[in-house]
């Protein structure tokens, strides 16, 4: 998985216990990001619908959630990856923008990204391999970046991993089926059929994913956008089109209330961070429309970027790390006996 702000790596074991105990055969993950939670649900045997607005999240969802490994000629993917891994590099938009006029990746790796991504577009666009190949390229590129995990800035001196050679691996496709939707969760819930379990993991502050992961957007869209500033962000980062109601302090509580009210699910599971704009009481109140509500507080280590320190646009350290621990709230709402059954399945300490 890519390094991702708000990724639920540490919550996955708990969420996996919840889905297993619920016996859900249908589930949705409405802010799927890296898809790591949706993957757990799929592995538990549920048909999962994975929704996100981001293009790279959609590529991951198409790859890991929609594709059914048991029905695919996976050897074709292995062969295509072997072909891409020996392709000579060429200097193109990616190299110039993210390796020369900014320094997110070493030029030798940038040239390989240019060559590989061009070939994926020319030779695989209309095949089932298209998304898994882009997913593989995204995962490989993330492993050789020179950032603290977000693309607001790059490091002043090259990271150690940036010196490694870009290497595509065969993505770990899962058996089973699912659905990937690139959509605003607020709109998607109006169309989606009822599920046994819906998981909501909305952004919890003003930091927009479209701005934080602008290079992944470009790597997927392959649209060579004009950029601005030292960080070389896409010009459309500045427009209103890519704003999420969940990144606005006044809009977020209203949006979450609307979303929770419109989600059609027997059981709702929502994770939310203690550094967010909502208090525990507001969260409980919003979720109570779904029936009985219980809340679990999970303490876990903060995202690594915030431990390293605060950086300015040139990648210079300008602030000390904040508190190293934060709390994630996991809210479970639904029919009382089900909510209590799920609570009993969780470790109590
Ligand atoms: C906290 S992250 C989710 C992380 C994910 N659970 C994981 O473990 O990788 C929030 C996600 O919400 C997406 N997002 C933001 N606004 C959205 C909206 N209105 N509808 C759907 N997705 C949205 C972002 O692109 C981001 O991937």
């Amino acid at each position: 998985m890519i390094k991702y702000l708000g990724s639920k790596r540490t919550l996955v074991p708990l969420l996996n216990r919840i889905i297993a105990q619920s016996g859900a055969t249908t589930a949705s993950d409405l802010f799927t990001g890296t898809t790591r939670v949706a993957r757990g649900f799929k592995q538990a045997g549920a048909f999962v619908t994975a929704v996100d607005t981001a293009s790279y999240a959609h590529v991951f969802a198409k790859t890991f959630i929609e594709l059914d490994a048991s029905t695919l000629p996976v050897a074709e993917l292995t062969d295509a990856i072997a072909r891409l891994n020996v392709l000579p590099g060429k200097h193109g938009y990616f190299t110039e923008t993210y390796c020369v006029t900014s320094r997110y990746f070493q030029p030798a790796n940038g040239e390989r990204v240019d060559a590989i991504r061009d070939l994926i577009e020319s030779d695989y666009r209309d095949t089932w391999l298209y998304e898994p190949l882009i997913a593989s390229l995204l995962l490989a590129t993330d492993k050789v970046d020179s950032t603290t995990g977000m693309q607001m800035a790059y490091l002043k001196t090259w990271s150690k991993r940036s010196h490694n050679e870009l290497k595509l691996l065969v993505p770990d496709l899962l058996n089973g089926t699912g659905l990937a939707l690139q959509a605003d969760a607020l709109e998607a819930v109006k169309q989606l059929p009822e599920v046994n379990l819906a998981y909501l993991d909305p952004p919890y502050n003003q930091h927009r994913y479209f701005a934080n992961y602008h290079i992944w957007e470009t790597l997927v869209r392959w649209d060579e956008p004009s950029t601005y500033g030292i960080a070389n962000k896409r010009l459309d980062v500045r427009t209103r089109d890519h704003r999420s109601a969940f990144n606005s302090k006044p809009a977020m509580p209203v949006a979450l209330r609307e979303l929770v009210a419109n989600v059609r699910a027997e059981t709702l599971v929502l994770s939310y961070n203690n550094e967010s704009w909502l208090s525990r009481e507001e969260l409980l109140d919003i979720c109570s429309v779904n029936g009985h509500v219980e809340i679990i507080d999970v303490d876990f280590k903060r995202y690594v970027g915030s431990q390293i320190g605060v950086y300015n646009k040139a990648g210079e350290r300008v602030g000390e790390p904040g508190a190293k621990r934060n709390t994630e709230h996991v809210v479970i709402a639904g029919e009382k006996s089900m909510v209590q059954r799920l609570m009993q399945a969780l470790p109590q300490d």
Side-chain angles (χ1 to χ4, degrees), residues 4 6-8 31-34 36 52-53 183-185 201 203 209 244:
Y4 204 50
S7 177
K8 293 299 167 298
F31 300 86
T32 200
T34 60
R36 63 168 89 236
D52 203 291
T53 42
D184 186 323
D201 184 23
Y209 284 83
S244 168

Side-chain angles (χ1 to χ4, degrees), residues 120-135:
I120 295 174
E121 204 57 33
S122 62
D123 286 23
Y124 298 100
R125 172 92 224 188
D126 298 317
T127 73
W128 74 271
L129 299 166
Y130 186 65
E131 281 90 7
L133 289 177
I134 298 178

Side-chain angles (χ1 to χ4, degrees), residues 4-9 12 29-37 51-54 56-57 183-186 199 201-204 209-210 243-247 271:
Y4 204 50
L5 187 69
S7 177
K8 293 299 167 298
R9 189 170 53 82
V12 162
D29 178 5
L30 297 175
F31 300 86
T32 200
T34 60
T35 71
R36 63 168 89 236
V37 175
V51 179
D52 203 291
T53 42
Y56 51 85
D184 186 323
L186 286 163
Y199 174 60
D201 184 23
Y204 57 82
Y209 284 83
F210 191 74
R243 297 189 188 265
S244 168
F246 297 91
N247 293 129
S271 51

Side-chain angles (χ1 to χ4, degrees), residues 39 42-43 45-48 59-75 77 128-129 131-132 171-180:
R39 275 179 66 101
K42 184 175 173 183
Q43 283 171 308
F47 179 95
V48 188
V59 159
F60 290 138
K62 280 270 187 195
T63 302
F64 297 116
I65 305 306
E66 205 165 281
L67 291 181
D68 181 354
S70 69
T71 63
L72 293 168
V74 178
L77 182 57
W128 74 271
L129 299 166
E131 281 90 7
D172 190 11
L173 304 184
L174 302 177
N175 293 340
T177 51
L179 181 70

Side-chain angles (χ1 to χ4, degrees), residues 109-177:
N109 281 329
E111 287 173 3
R112 297 205 36 233
V113 171
D114 268 317
I116 292 170
R117 185 64 188 84
D118 272 350
L119 195 81
I120 295 174
E121 204 57 33
S122 62
D123 286 23
Y124 298 100
R125 172 92 224 188
D126 298 317
T127 73
W128 74 271
L129 299 166
Y130 186 65
E131 281 90 7
L133 289 177
I134 298 178
S136 172
L137 179 60
L138 275 165
L139 292 165
T141 311
D142 180 61
K143 285 210 173 66
V144 294
D145 76 339
S146 190
T147 74
T148 59
M150 285 191 286
Q151 297 163 351
M152 307 300 286
Y154 45 90
L155 297 175
K156 202 173 171 194
T157 50
W158 288 112
S159 70
K160 204 170 159 217
R161 65 174 171 267
S162 74
H163 296 277
N164 296 338
E165 215 175 289
L166 181 95
K167 185 169 189 289
L168 274 62
L169 302 175
V170 180
D172 190 11
L173 304 184
L174 302 177
N175 293 340
T177 51

Side-chain angles (χ1 to χ4, degrees), residues 30-321:
L30 297 175
F31 300 86
T32 200
T34 60
T35 71
R36 63 168 89 236
V37 175
R39 275 179 66 101
F41 289 178
K42 184 175 173 183
Q43 283 171 308
F47 179 95
V48 188
T49 302
V51 179
D52 203 291
T53 42
S55 305
Y56 51 85
H58 189 56
V59 159
F60 290 138
K62 280 270 187 195
T63 302
F64 297 116
I65 305 306
E66 205 165 281
L67 291 181
D68 181 354
S70 69
T71 63
L72 293 168
V74 178
E76 286 181 11
L77 182 57
T78 311
D79 291 349
I81 292 210
R83 179 183 178 206
L84 297 179
N85 267 330
V86 294
L87 205 61
K90 65 172 184 198
H91 190 109
Y93 172 89
F94 194 93
T95 313
E96 188 59 30
T97 313
Y98 306 119
C99 312
V100 177
T101 62
S102 60
R103 291 186 301 123
Y104 291 96
F105 310 93
Q106 301 269 358
N109 281 329
E111 287 173 3
R112 297 205 36 233
V113 171
D114 268 317
I116 292 170
R117 185 64 188 84
D118 272 350
L119 195 81
I120 295 174
E121 204 57 33
S122 62
D123 286 23
Y124 298 100
R125 172 92 224 188
D126 298 317
T127 73
W128 74 271
L129 299 166
Y130 186 65
E131 281 90 7
L133 289 177
I134 298 178
S136 172
L137 179 60
L138 275 165
L139 292 165
T141 311
D142 180 61
K143 285 210 173 66
V144 294
D145 76 339
S146 190
T147 74
T148 59
M150 285 191 286
Q151 297 163 351
M152 307 300 286
Y154 45 90
L155 297 175
K156 202 173 171 194
T157 50
W158 288 112
S159 70
K160 204 170 159 217
R161 65 174 171 267
S162 74
H163 296 277
N164 296 338
E165 215 175 289
L166 181 95
K167 185 169 189 289
L168 274 62
L169 302 175
V170 180
D172 190 11
L173 304 184
L174 302 177
N175 293 340
T177 51
L179 181 70
L181 278 183
Q182 185 172 9
D184 186 323
L186 286 163
E187 295 307 315
V189 287
K190 295 179 192 160
Q191 321 290 336
L192 290 174
E194 182 170 343
V195 288
N196 299 132
L197 190 145
Y199 174 60
L200 273 53
D201 184 23
Y204 57 82
N205 58 29
Q206 72 283 10
H207 297 300
R208 291 183 299 137
Y209 284 83
F210 191 74
N212 282 342
Y213 298 101
H214 59 100
I215 301 176
W216 299 154
E217 275 293 328
T218 299
L219 189 51
V220 172
R221 296 178 184 210
W222 212 230
D223 55 355
E224 306 195 356
S226 301
T227 60
Y228 70 94
I230 298 171
N232 267 354
K233 286 193 211 146
R234 304 171 57 94
L235 265 192
D236 52 5
V237 163
R238 281 177 164 161
T239 67
R240 297 200 63 77
D241 302 358
H242 300 285
R243 297 189 188 265
S244 168
F246 297 91
N247 293 129
S248 147
K249 193 171 181 181
M252 191 276 285
V254 184
L256 190 61
R257 204 173 276 282
E258 180 190 327
L259 183 66
V260 169
N262 286 337
V263 167
R264 289 194 286 148
E266 287 162 22
T267 309
L268 184 83
V269 177
L270 184 145
S271 51
Y272 221 72
N273 196 279
N274 69 332
E275 293 176 343
S276 70
W277 294 312
L278 279 182
S279 70
R280 189 183 168 90
E281 288 65 37
E282 282 173 295
L283 201 53
L284 284 170
D285 180 54
I286 289 175
C287 294
S288 63
V289 296
N290 260 68
H292 182 75
V293 187
E294 297 269 0
I295 188 159
I296 310 156
D297 297 327
V298 187
D299 190 60
F300 74 107
K301 264 183 114 199
R302 259 177 100 159
Y303 174 75
V304 67
S306 72
Q307 288 183 34
I308 296 168
V310 182
Y311 289 79
N312 68 11
K313 285 183 178 170
E316 292 155 348
R317 186 169 159 148
V318 291
E320 291 307 310

